[in-house]
Amino acid sequence: MASLPPRTPTPRTAAVAAGFAFSATALILVGLFQVVQGLSAIIDEDFFVPARGYAFDMDVTVWGWIHVVLGAVVLGAGIALVRGR
């Protein structure tokens, strides 16, 4: 079977690849920041002070766990995007 010659990337495919790289990097960074922010809310509950009349009447620890879970999901999506899934 004859092998095909390598395809040269077009400007459009290069732009799409750059977009995927930027998106993956942004997702990974945002996911990491959310996990760190959630862990800091879980470890030290006094680090974040809720304002008076806050719309959501939840404990800071609950928000910490929400940030950890959502951050892990976003981080996983970024890693999956890097791996081409």
Side-chain angles (χ1 to χ4, degrees):
M1 180 187 257
S3 64
L4 296 173
R7 292 176 40 179
T8 57
T10 63
R12 179 174 164 81
T13 57
V16 169
F20 273 109
F22 173 76
S23 300
T25 304
L27 282 171
I28 290 170
L29 286 175
V30 168
L32 282 174
F33 287 145
Q34 290 300 313
V35 169
V36 169
Q37 187 175 12
L39 287 175
S40 66
I42 293 169
I43 293 170
D44 185 14
E45 195 170 304
D46 295 328
F47 186 76
F48 295 104
V49 179
R52 294 180 76 197
Y54 194 58
F56 303 106
D57 189 26
M58 288 188 210
D59 189 26
V60 176
T61 306
V62 174
W63 275 112
W65 281 111
I66 290 171
H67 278 278
V68 167
V69 169
L70 290 178
V73 169
V74 171
L75 181 64
I79 292 171
L81 192 59
V82 166
R83 297 182 76 190
R85 305 259 172 172

